Amino acid sequence: MIIKALTIENFKGIREPVRIEFKPITLLFGPNSAGKSTIVQALHYIREILERNNVDADRSLGADESFDLGGFRNLVHKHDLSTRIRFRIEMSIGHGELQEYPTFVGNYQNFDTDLMGAHRLEVNFDLNEWVDVDTMWVELEVGWSHLLGKPYLTSYSTGLNGAPVAGITCSDDGKRVRISKLELRHPSLVNVHKINSEWDILDELFHNVVNTKVVGEGADLNLMLENVSGVLPVWGKGISVPTECFSPSNNSDPQYFQSEVMEFLSYLSQLIVGPGELLLKALNRGRYIGPIRKTPPRNYSPVNSRDDARWSSGLAAWDLLYQRDLTFINEVNRWLASDNRLNTGYSVKLKRYKELDLDGPAYLSLCTDGWLDEVDDIVNELKRLPERKRLTLIEEDKHIEVQPHDIGIGISQLLPVVVAALDGKSQMVLVEQPELHIHPRIQAELGDLFIEAALGESGNSFIIETHSEHLLLRIMRRIRESYQQKSDGMPLSPEAVGVWYVEQYDNKTVVREMLLNKQGELVKAWPGGFFEEGLREVF
């Protein structure tokens, strides 16, 4: 599953809806304080909403203490509490990725359990078997409740293959949660209802009960949900609706009808709960690398538990190097040290060792003439000692070991970007200022790193906030070489690269797409003379 696009409305400097389409490589350019970080912050905020229902977020699970969203008052456009923040996140999914939500006949409280006795029959519907789902979207709306004196999630809705499916809303006190929109005759779902002809009765009964006024397909509903505390679904669980919405006829078999209702609810759960759960999984796989990475201290000790927040400071990259095998470290070194790669002059070395207690019997025995008589005991004791690791850098020209503090800060800024790009598969990597403290040649070589990591086996995607003209020029060059069939690397098409320019205009944030052609050229010039400073210095 891949996040394909994000629409933002009334969030920070963005007022009118702005849709940003994500490519394998997405570059965000613009002046300082223009709002480039708004897109990155929106993704953090969405994750907070989905994972912790945290609509008043300041801190984020994916970043350390240096990253502060500031809460809803700070995030809503112009701090206007009468305005609602809206996001729509579009995803492309593969066959079978949509999770199933089984229910159990005889375990649904409002049905007559005596019909089934103690017997529980699992009932499930798998939408993947009936519909080719290519794209889905999730839409979130956050507003301010004057009744509660705090923000709340006002609505959660989903779409399938470009058209709406369902919407959940609640009252301004966060209660009376209900399905307010439902497109049971969605174009992509027609075959489901044709094949499951018995659902026509359920469909009819469902609409007859919940529609206060039937005005055609997609009519406003008022279907109250059960066992929920807000509009956000409970991940991993199906939705529950009052059974009076489904009233069997006098001639129907109650047990069979109950089974059909359960299957129908399983189907609705895939349409409503499934997209949000997929989106949360994708966001949890993402990694955010902040604009200033920390240099690990001397005698650095990694943390053993996964902590996504450590990626923002870059320290998680050093942790990962302690955990990964030699194959991965060699791949990192291929990029750090090779002449045809970044060629930084340094490589990484992971040393494995054991600490021997100077007062212990093993060391004392080794210092005596008769230690050979006790060799088996010494070997066994050494085997019991815990293995330790130490990560150092090798200065390639002099073949000496150095610590990150002993060399320029550029390596500590660069290494987390390299590690995050090469590690993992199908994850979104958000990077702010990857060019920080590195010289222009390496900035350009970073373009090749992102191309290989995005289009190669890893299949990662990158959202890069940057000021680096050198990075962009390398990517434009690779597009041109691919078109001219002169590239030795992976072919790069303009469709794989998204370039966006963010600026302030009339006290609001404006986001413009800067299209590239097959020759790797910008179709239109940069707004406001961006990147023309070099020309002014020359002429």
Side-chain angles (χ1 to χ4, degrees):
M1 198 281 293
I2 300 173
I3 298 176
K4 299 295 292 184
L6 169 65
T7 300
I8 302 173
E9 181 180 356
N10 291 324
F11 183 73
K12 301 203 74 173
I14 296 177
R15 183 181 66 189
E16 302 299 327
V18 171
R19 182 179 182 273
I20 301 98
E21 187 174 350
F22 298 133
K23 304 293 181 67
I25 301 173
T26 302
L27 303 172
L28 306 176
F29 288 94
N32 290 331
S33 301
K36 299 186 301 298
S37 298
T38 298
I39 298 167
V40 173
Q41 291 170 351
L43 291 169
H44 279 280
Y45 187 45
I46 292 167
R47 179 183 174 184
E48 281 297 302
I49 294 172
L50 293 177
E51 184 152 359
R52 299 197 289 185
N53 202 7
N54 183 13
V55 295
D56 201 19
D58 46 10
R59 294 284 304 276
S60 168
L61 288 170
D64 63 11
E65 66 280 356
S66 64
F67 187 93
D68 188 356
L69 291 168
F72 178 82
R73 290 177 181 268
N74 180 65
L75 297 173
V76 68
H77 182 65
K78 291 189 174 180
H79 313 299
D80 183 0
L81 296 184
S82 66
T83 301
R84 291 186 174 184
I85 296 173
R86 294 183 183 90
F87 302 109
R88 176 178 288 190
I89 311 94
E90 302 167 38
M91 304 162 280
S92 65
I93 69 173
H95 180 73
E97 285 193 86
L98 198 59
Q99 183 172 321
E100 301 172 28
Y101 297 88
T103 54
F104 297 91
V105 173
N107 196 40
Y108 195 62
Q109 294 180 354
N110 291 337
F111 275 97
D112 185 357
T113 54
D114 290 339
L115 293 173
M116 299 296 295
H119 179 61
R120 297 174 73 242
L121 173 65
E122 180 176 333
V123 178
N124 190 35
F125 181 87
D126 186 5
L127 190 64
N128 299 295
E129 297 179 3
W130 305 95
V131 179
D132 290 328
V133 181
D134 299 317
T135 61
M136 284 188 158
W137 52 256
V138 171
E139 189 168 287
L140 304 171
E141 181 183 272
V142 184
W144 182 266
S145 171
H146 291 281
L147 183 63
L148 299 175
K150 63 180 182 179
Y152 71 112
L153 189 62
T154 64
S155 70
Y156 165 95
S157 57
T158 61
L160 172 68
N161 291 341
V165 172
I168 302 177
T169 57
C170 65
S171 53
D172 60 359
D173 60 358
K175 300 178 181 179
R176 294 186 54 80
V177 182
R178 63 196 181 277
I179 296 178
S180 57
K181 295 285 185 181
L182 191 60
E183 296 285 353
L184 290 175
R185 296 310 184 191
H186 185 289
S188 298
L189 304 176
V190 171
N191 288 335
V192 177
H193 290 265
K194 284 182 178 178
I195 296 171
N196 296 273
S197 57
E198 63 272 17
W199 282 8
D200 289 342
I201 300 175
L202 289 176
D203 189 351
E204 181 180 351
L205 292 170
F206 190 69
H207 273 315
N208 287 342
V209 172
V210 301
N211 278 331
T212 56
K213 182 178 180 181
V214 179
V215 293
E217 295 303 328
D220 290 341
L221 309 182
N222 190 27
L223 175 60
M224 302 304 296
L225 294 179
E226 296 181 326
N227 304 318
V228 292
S229 58
V231 302
L232 199 67
V234 178
W235 310 126
K237 294 184 179 180
I239 61 170
S240 177
V241 301
T243 52
E244 55 265 24
C245 293
F246 305 97
S247 302
S249 64
N250 294 331
N251 298 326
S252 62
D253 180 349
Q255 180 175 324
Y256 177 78
F257 185 80
Q258 184 183 10
S259 177
E260 290 302 309
V261 169
M262 291 301 172
E263 188 175 18
F264 192 71
L265 291 178
S266 177
Y267 160 72
L268 291 182
S269 298
Q270 275 196 303
L271 295 175
I272 296 174
V273 185
E277 193 150 12
L278 277 178
L279 173 59
L280 178 57
K281 289 179 180 178
L283 291 172
N284 283 340
R285 288 201 307 268
R287 287 173 177 172
Y288 164 71
I289 300 177
I292 301 177
R293 280 74 78 180
K294 293 180 180 179
T295 301
R298 297 186 187 277
N299 302 316
Y300 175 72
S301 296
V303 298
N304 296 323
S305 302
R306 172 182 168 177
D307 184 357
D308 291 340
R310 290 173 65 82
W311 278 103
S312 61
S313 68
L315 292 179
W318 301 88
D319 297 339
L320 189 65
L321 288 172
Y322 276 89
Q323 301 164 6
R324 294 299 301 269
D325 56 21
L326 186 60
T327 300
F328 180 74
I329 292 178
N330 288 339
E331 178 66 7
V332 171
N333 286 334
R334 182 173 74 91
W335 275 97
L336 285 178
S338 297
D339 293 340
N340 60 344
R341 294 291 188 270
L342 298 172
N343 193 17
T344 64
Y346 294 92
S347 61
V348 174
K349 183 176 182 180
L350 185 64
K351 302 181 69 173
R352 302 165 59 214
Y353 67 96
K354 293 187 175 185
E355 293 181 350
L356 191 60
D357 185 358
L358 296 181
D359 294 324
Y363 180 78
L364 295 176
S365 297
L366 289 172
C367 293
T368 63
D369 294 335
W371 71 271
L372 287 176
D373 297 332
E374 304 176 12
V375 64
D376 290 339
D377 294 336
I378 295 174
V379 169
N380 289 332
E381 183 177 344
L382 292 176
K383 287 181 178 179
R384 288 193 294 268
L385 292 175
E387 180 183 288
R388 304 191 183 278
K389 297 178 181 179
R390 181 185 299 120
L391 196 66
T392 62
L393 297 173
I394 304 297
E395 191 172 348
E396 294 288 305
D397 290 343
K398 300 178 181 178
H399 303 288
I400 60 173
E401 292 185 7
V402 293
Q403 293 294 316
H405 273 280
D406 299 326
I407 60 176
I409 196 172
I411 292 297
S412 65
Q413 302 303 295
L414 178 64
L415 186 137
V417 178
V418 175
V419 172
L422 298 178
D423 178 61
K425 290 186 177 181
S426 299
Q427 65 182 10
M428 178 178 282
V429 182
L430 290 76
V431 187
E432 293 194 61
Q433 299 183 44
E435 72 275 11
L436 195 66
H437 292 297
I438 58 177
H439 61 74
R441 181 190 61 78
I442 296 182
Q443 292 181 34
E445 298 293 349
L446 275 176
D448 287 332
L449 171 67
F450 294 137
I451 292 170
E452 182 172 307
L455 304 182
E457 293 183 2
S458 294
N460 294 332
S461 61
F462 296 90
I463 300 176
I464 304 165
E465 180 193 328
T466 179
H467 296 105
S468 176
E469 185 178 13
H470 306 286
L471 170 61
L472 177 61
L473 290 174
R474 173 58 59 88
I475 290 175
M476 294 168 70
R477 171 186 166 186
R478 295 308 187 209
I479 293 174
R480 181 175 64 253
E481 290 175 344
S482 298
Y483 178 69
Q484 297 172 349
Q485 298 184 346
K486 295 180 179 179
S487 176
D488 296 330
M490 294 181 177
L492 181 65
S493 70
E495 290 76 22
V497 181
V499 181
W500 298 84
Y501 183 79
V502 185
E503 63 177 336
Q504 287 289 314
Y505 178 77
D506 193 23
N507 293 323
K508 63 181 180 180
T509 301
V510 178
V511 184
R512 306 183 188 184
E513 185 175 12
M514 307 298 295
L515 295 174
L516 299 171
N517 61 23
K518 293 181 180 179
Q519 294 282 358
E521 303 166 330
L522 286 169
V523 175
K524 294 182 179 180
W526 289 103
F530 195 70
F531 280 147
E532 289 186 0
E533 289 80 1
L535 292 176
R536 285 199 294 268
E537 294 297 318
V538 174
F539 296 103

